[in-house]
Amino acid sequence: MRFYGYFRSSSAYRCRIAFNLKDVDYDFVSVHLRKDGGQQKQPDYRAKNPQALVPALEDGDLTLTQSLAIIEWLDETFPEKARLLPDDKDTRAKVRAFAQAIACDIHPLQNLRVLDYLKTAFGADQAALDRWCGRWISDGLAACEALLEKEPASAFCFGETPGLADICLIPQVFSAHRFGVDLSAMPRLVAIAETANALPAFANAHPRNQPDAE
Amino acid sequence: MRFYGYFRSSSAYRCRIAFNLKDVDYDFVSVHLRKDGGQQKQPDYRAKNPQALVPALEDGDLTLTQSLAIIEWLDETFPEKARLLPDDKDTRAKVRAFAQAIACDIHPLQNLRVLDYLKTAFGADQAALDRWCGRWISDGLAACEALLEKEPASAFCFGETPGLADICLIPQVFSAHRFGVDLSAMPRLVAIAETANALPAFANAHPRNQPDAE
């Protein structure tokens, strides 16, 4: 199995946590988003992922894109390993919704191509970009905190073992720290992140621990 | 079952198609995104969906958010009706990735709250907003076309019956038309949209056919 990623990409970070939790080995291929005008835009990589985004996963003839699709595929392909989605369909829907609140409505707005557009078309400086990212992260994580307030207290987002929701949350909390977002109104998310980051599966997936880290 | 939506929301439009394909009845509650300073921001609605976005679904004590999570839940809750996701796990992952390419990387960038931010913080006028939306729709749908080029020819995105990928594609094509995006380089997507829109499940879900349409 070959995994194309970038150390700082939130989507690649999610997949690394999932690989670790599932205890599945893979060969890593670095796609540097800033080198060579963006290696993700080169024809060889675009043939794998026409969106010119990381990550991509190759397994034999199968090529997959999109982190959430890759993670559910890993969970379904290795069902004997730790499950990342719950068996109960109602809880599973809530887990997916939480993951999508991050993967659809927070993270894509901080994407490199989006920030480049804001700089070029609207003359946004770094402070404006930080405010932009901060706004979506702050609003989005506040909504995630509120989603969890409806659930019984637990060590992870939905229960006592980590799963898809935590896999999405922890990279987003990392990104929140990068952009200086105040998380004091989200005590539950902060506590979950602390618990998760103490596990090797999460710690080893951290951007600073990757071979392509700068 | 109670469904909270808005006629022009792409996410609500997706859910309507899914309800129709599954032949599942629901009570519709209109959440007008432009009235009363945005009905989605009012406390009653935020208690259901803390993201202050449509849609939301209530079924007994269960409240769900996020269109893709809702659609997979419908598919799992009514498995005896037309299946929206394929049985084969590899194809299922490709369907999810295609859906997420739209739901994560195209649609959230055109969201009302994002356009409002661009107007307020960067002074974007309507022409600038149209270019912004057009760029992400155009790039995103070109990638979707390329994803389908890897698949055998078929009436719908992945096979001869409509499913989650088509449910995401058709509202995005509707939105592409709204923003005047040129789709001539995406003949496969255009053909699929034409086939889908001829079906009652898709036609009846169209924004203009909703009780809250303007």
Side-chain angles (χ1 to χ4, degrees):
Chain A
M1 209 173 298
R2 189 175 292 165
F3 176 67
Y4 297 80
Y6 179 62
F7 74 107
R8 204 152 50 197
S9 152
S10 214
S11 317
Y13 188 176
R14 289 176 204 147
C15 293
R16 292 194 301 263
I17 301 168
F19 278 121
N20 293 348
L21 286 171
K22 298 293 286 185
D23 196 21
V24 170
D25 285 333
Y26 59 93
D27 295 319
F28 170 63
V29 183
S30 165
V31 180
H32 200 295
L33 303 188
R34 289 289 194 188
K35 274 189 192 151
D36 310 324
Q39 293 178 348
Q40 76 280 16
K41 296 178 195 165
Q42 293 178 354
D44 272 10
Y45 183 72
R46 281 191 106 109
K48 303 179 200 308
N49 185 338
Q51 287 195 273
L53 297 171
V54 290
L57 179 70
E58 284 179 332
D59 182 46
D61 288 342
L62 179 68
T63 304
L64 291 179
T65 59
Q66 287 288 340
S67 61
L68 299 193
I70 289 171
I71 293 165
E72 290 222 33
W73 179 86
L74 279 174
D75 206 34
E76 294 169 0
T77 302
F78 303 98
E80 72 286 3
K81 309 281 187 79
R83 297 309 300 261
L84 305 181
L85 283 109
D87 287 334
D88 173 66
K89 74 175 174 56
D90 292 357
T91 314
R92 190 160 60 240
K94 288 194 274 188
V95 166
R96 285 184 179 135
F98 184 95
Q100 290 161 14
I102 293 172
C104 297
D105 293 319
I106 305 180
H107 172 248
L109 292 156
Q110 318 158 219
N111 205 294
L112 185 60
R113 65 194 181 126
V114 172
L115 302 186
D116 282 345
Y117 189 108
L118 292 174
K119 280 193 267 192
T120 307
F122 298 114
D125 59 13
Q126 192 56 49
L129 296 181
D130 288 351
R131 279 194 301 276
W132 166 270
C133 292
R135 160 72 187 278
W136 309 122
I137 297 173
S138 179
D139 281 9
L141 289 182
C144 287
E145 178 86 9
L147 284 170
L148 291 193
E149 279 167 4
K150 299 169 182 236
E151 303 299 318
S154 56
F156 294 95
C157 289
F158 293 86
E160 299 306 323
T161 52
L164 179 65
D166 311 283
I167 285 171
C168 291
L169 175 63
I170 274 52
Q172 192 57 64
V173 167
F174 164 75
S175 167
H177 290 310
R178 268 186 75 204
F179 288 104
V181 175
D182 177 11
L183 300 181
S184 58
M186 303 147 206
R188 190 149 166 171
L189 301 185
V190 170
I192 291 167
E194 201 170 316
T195 304
N197 282 324
L199 298 178
F202 286 82
N204 295 337
H206 193 285
R208 73 169 159 258
N209 296 329
Q210 304 318 306
D212 58 335
E214 283 161 5
Chain B
M1 208 174 296
R2 188 175 293 167
F3 176 68
Y4 296 80
Y6 179 62
F7 75 108
R8 204 152 50 197
S9 152
S10 214
S11 317
Y13 188 176
R14 289 175 203 147
C15 293
R16 292 193 302 263
I17 300 169
F19 278 120
N20 293 348
L21 286 171
K22 299 293 287 186
D23 196 21
V24 169
D25 285 334
Y26 59 93
D27 295 318
F28 171 64
V29 182
S30 165
V31 180
H32 200 295
L33 303 188
R34 289 288 196 191
K35 273 188 193 152
D36 310 323
Q39 294 177 348
Q40 76 279 15
K41 296 179 195 165
Q42 294 178 353
D44 272 9
Y45 183 72
R46 280 192 107 110
K48 303 178 201 308
N49 185 338
Q51 287 195 273
L53 297 171
V54 290
L57 180 71
E58 284 179 334
D59 182 46
D61 289 342
L62 180 68
T63 304
L64 291 179
T65 59
Q66 287 288 339
S67 61
L68 299 193
I70 289 171
I71 292 164
E72 290 221 34
W73 179 87
L74 279 174
D75 205 34
E76 294 170 359
T77 302
F78 303 98
E80 71 287 2
K81 309 281 186 80
R83 296 310 300 259
L84 305 180
L85 283 110
D87 287 335
D88 173 65
K89 75 175 173 58
D90 292 357
T91 314
R92 190 160 60 240
K94 288 195 274 189
V95 166
R96 285 184 179 134
F98 184 96
Q100 290 161 14
I102 292 172
C104 298
D105 293 320
I106 304 180
H107 172 248
L109 292 156
Q110 318 159 218
N111 205 294
L112 185 60
R113 65 194 181 125
V114 172
L115 302 186
D116 282 344
Y117 190 107
L118 292 174
K119 280 193 268 192
T120 307
F122 298 114
D125 59 13
Q126 193 55 49
L129 296 180
D130 288 351
R131 280 193 300 277
W132 165 270
C133 293
R135 160 73 187 278
W136 310 121
I137 298 172
S138 179
D139 282 9
L141 289 182
C144 287
E145 178 86 8
L147 284 169
L148 291 193
E149 280 166 3
K150 300 169 181 234
E151 303 300 317
S154 56
F156 294 95
C157 289
F158 293 86
E160 299 306 322
T161 52
L164 179 64
D166 310 283
I167 285 171
C168 290
L169 175 63
I170 274 53
Q172 192 57 64
V173 167
F174 165 75
S175 167
H177 290 310
R178 268 185 73 205
F179 288 105
V181 174
D182 177 11
L183 299 181
S184 57
M186 302 146 207
R188 191 150 166 171
L189 300 185
V190 170
I192 292 167
E194 201 170 317
T195 304
N197 283 324
L199 299 177
F202 286 82
N204 295 338
H206 192 285
R208 73 169 159 259
N209 296 329
Q210 304 318 306
D212 58 335
E214 283 160 8

